[in-house]
Amino acid sequence: MPLRDLDHYFVRCADLERSRRFYCDALGLEVMPRPPFPFPGYWLGVGGRVQVHMGLDGIPQAPAIYFGTTPRSARDNSGVVDHIAFHAEDPQSVARRLEEHG
């Protein structure tokens, strides 16, 4: 299998602090070190491994920063998944398979 594992996903949160509390309090994730990006957010994970990236939805510079979300993306719940990242043993093979499936 060319995919090795799920690296992380990035969710744009309508309420960043409420989302952080849910992931940390209900799921047991921890706030992890995060680079100084030009937008508010968190990196969360367990066992020293970052698994969830979070950013605030509705920021003015969103089109220049959040590349995985289109204007038609659903925002009627707690947030929208901007992107999902995987590790692959053979990225070219994964790209070919994705192209084959449109």
Side-chain angles (χ1 to χ4, degrees):
M1 182 70 155
L3 288 181
R4 189 175 68 213
D5 59 5
L6 173 69
D7 182 71
H8 71 273
Y9 65 88
F10 184 105
V11 63
R12 292 171 57 170
C13 303
D15 185 330
L16 191 60
E17 292 306 315
R18 183 176 180 194
S19 297
R20 180 197 53 78
R21 283 192 307 271
F22 171 78
Y23 278 91
C24 292
D25 296 347
L27 299 177
L29 275 67
E30 303 168 351
V31 175
M32 309 291 284
R34 176 181 178 262
F37 292 116
F39 58 92
Y42 291 103
W43 280 9
L44 306 174
V46 293
R49 183 169 175 220
V50 176
Q51 297 163 320
V52 179
H53 294 184
M54 304 170 89
L56 183 62
D57 193 29
I59 60 172
Q61 68 271 39
I65 293 175
Y66 299 144
F67 299 116
T69 310
T70 70
R72 296 186 336 250
S73 297
R75 290 180 177 78
D76 58 351
N77 203 340
S78 60
V80 60
V81 174
D82 183 78
H83 68 265
I84 301 172
F86 296 92
H87 281 280
E89 297 294 331
D90 182 0
Q92 294 79 14
S93 174
V94 174
R96 278 192 304 276
R97 288 179 70 179
L98 291 172
E99 287 174 10
E100 289 170 5
H101 293 334

